[in-house]
Amino acid sequence: MRSKVLFCLLPIFIASCTKEVKTKDSLLEQLPPNPSLVLKINNLTNFKSELKNNSNLKSIEEFYNIKEILDKIKGLRHLTTDKTCVLALYEVGKDNHDYILATKNDSGIFNVDSVSNKTVETLTYEGINVTKYNLDGLEVYSLRKNNDILLSSSMMLMENLIRVSENTPVDPTLKKLYQASSLDKSATIFINPSGNTSLLALKEQDKTTDNPFSSWVSLDFTANSDEVNLSGVAMTPDSTKNFINLFKGTSPLANKTPSYAPLTAQAILSYTFDDYQVFANNQNIYLDRVKKTDSLFNTIEEVGIIYLNNEKVVLLKSYGTESLYDYLDSKKTASQDYQGSEIIELENPNIVEEGFTPLVKDFESNFCTILENSFIFSEQKEALQTIISNHKSASSFDGDQGFKTAKASLASESSMLFVSNASGIDFFAEQELSPEVFEDIKDKDFKEQVFASQMVMDNGFGHFNLLVSKIEKNLERNTVSPLFTLELNTDLATDPQFVKNHRTKQQEIVVQDQNNVLYLISTDGKVLWTKQLDGRIQGEIQQVDIYKNGKLQLAFTTNDQFLILDRNGDEVPPFTIDFEGGNLNPLAVFDYDGSRNYRFVVTQGKKVYMYNNQGKIVRGFTFTDAPSNILDAPKHFRVGNKDYLVFKQDNSTLRILHRVGSDRIKVPEKIDFSNNGVFLYKNKFSVTNKTGVLHQIDTNGKLTATNFNLNPDHGFYATSNTLVFMDDNVLSIKGRKVELELGVYSKPKIFYIYDKIYVGVTDIQNHQIYLYDSQAEPIPNFPVFGSSLIDLTDMDNDRRLELVAKDQENSLIVYKIN
């Protein structure tokens, strides 16, 4: 894993180590041995300009371990030269780096005349004079050697240099790369990934089974305002067990993993080889083992890792699936159909890791599905469900604008390919980097950046492209992709719904299963907590702020309880109130003036209980016993400066009351209520009956009836200015009718988000969800799969919508709508 992380994270950390570097180069032989990093600067002026104007590098200059290096290098700001410079970093003590810079000595090359706060003194070591500058608190040591000048932040490095009177031997691989480096770029970076734990800010490990990623890597540096690009080669002797030698003797292929990864994946990592037998032989050498090559994987030509919601999914792409499929089919312990694809459960969870280590490590192949000519393995079944849903809706990672931005700068075929968004970089950083650097990365907003690394093996050389780039603006809109699928332990019992996290301001999901367990689920599909309840939640959960401090609670009724839970799922006293006999309606919450002086209304048969924020009965409310049973949750409407409390009774009576419980409007006509709610439409209280008649009562008590000739099981929903009906397969929005495919349809729902109206309806029979705007125009890329549309929101406050729906009976699925 360590080798792969180096490959994935080099774009940001190699660039970061060069950020404020102001100079470098001279004869390579002038440097002390064993540098951590060497930077050859061909054009100091251009290099300074590229560094200064790049937004990515500016954003990381305060990172832990980088800042310390950059602060020291600031002492070189007074260097001016048009000659080539070489700057090398050396680890001097734990997590401490100093530099030496070498360049040709010209008059005025290091001019400090303009520095007012400075001291200059001469030190002598073994008969050699060293000039020590203190420039605004920064120490710079200078040594003239033949026609060269050497500058350093450390007297210790200078002493080491003096003790070696002759030029020091240079690593032959580094020397070869240095001599072959381009003179056209402003700078070239040389780094040896092995042994650079401190410089790359990797976590300390007691031991590792990883062999080095490669020996020296040479990378030409190019940067503009929005992009850092590093391109070059890696060399490794044939005798060494380096990671890139796994691909020696193979040719790269076009990477297909991005076309199978969901659009919402955090990152993809793909390895390709045109001859599995050659790869397997290289694998044996790398692992220092003698193992007969297994013909089971002979047709595999790509190993892909998809990072999805902080989990790994592994893809094996094949040019012939029959033999591997037969083997897996013989080893399955169970299977199920999901959207037309078979998901099989495997008895051997180690088959992929055993076959493809070190490409795949710390992975259990518990489940597998086959899409086209690719085998896809996962540890959790829900990950495969998300993969399948995205694949069927053509919502793949290669359609992501970040991937498209990266692809424009990469070769079309690669032996190794890594592409990540900001979430993926956060994940890798937490897994492999020091806690200090992880915190730095987490605190930065990289949402507009894409990170990519590519290696193309050719004739024993690994050709590299590493990229950090601002994502080009996406002109494509109205794409729909499954964000995640979550399967619970048992079937869903209630409709999932979005609730706001008052800490992050993002939306999360609450849902209850058949065992009466309540779940709170994060935006990336992780269960944050569960709570065992005594009964089934009635209707929707309400969010309230009973302490008026911005912290939100969840309020609801079960069959026989009224409860309020806090952010952590703990009960808020005294709001655990039991009701003997049960049969409670959904909770109603009234906030008359928006002052958070809530009125919690619980109805049970004919009984009406109204509680305040302290959990006490509101004594001034007189409507405590209705003449007949209350239907559904009461509604509160405000028209002008007046409040109206509306109750439906099972004796076909609509009660419209004052705040205190007395009648505000008397409705003499009996209404055989349909199975729909009461809405305020055009300032009129509006309900439908079972024959499809819309009854409306205005604030003066005038009643009007409009016959829409609807079926008894019609759907009805309204807002202040939008009226929607669903009758058989005909959807009507503001009088505009849309004829849908034949099916069994749910009630329509209206969602009002960012001043836009969305109308959703579900074909329960055919598991299709439809979404329309207020003009009855379909939202592109709908319908999508789902047995019930539950809720629509802007989950992350980024003006992109998320839709949560029921999938299979014990699953929920969340879609992202761009």
Side-chain angles (χ1 to χ4, degrees), residues 22-23 41-49 79-81 85:
K22 301 295 185 184
T23 68
I41 302 178
N42 300 311
N43 188 314
L44 180 60
T45 301
N46 288 353
F47 185 60
K48 286 181 179 181
S49 176
L79 180 72
T80 304
T81 182
C85 307

Side-chain angles (χ1 to χ4, degrees), residues 122 131 140 189 220 253 279 305 326 347 380 397 427 491 497 501 505 582 608 678 707 740 764 782 808 814:
T122 301
T131 303
V140 180
I189 300 165
D220 292 331
L253 302 172
F279 167 80
I305 302 176
D326 290 342
E347 66 179 18
Q380 304 296 329
F397 192 72
F427 170 74
D491 292 351
Q497 67 178 89
N501 181 327
K505 309 306 180 185
V608 180
V678 182
N707 191 353
L740 304 179
I764 302 170
F782 277 84
Q808 294 179 326
V814 177

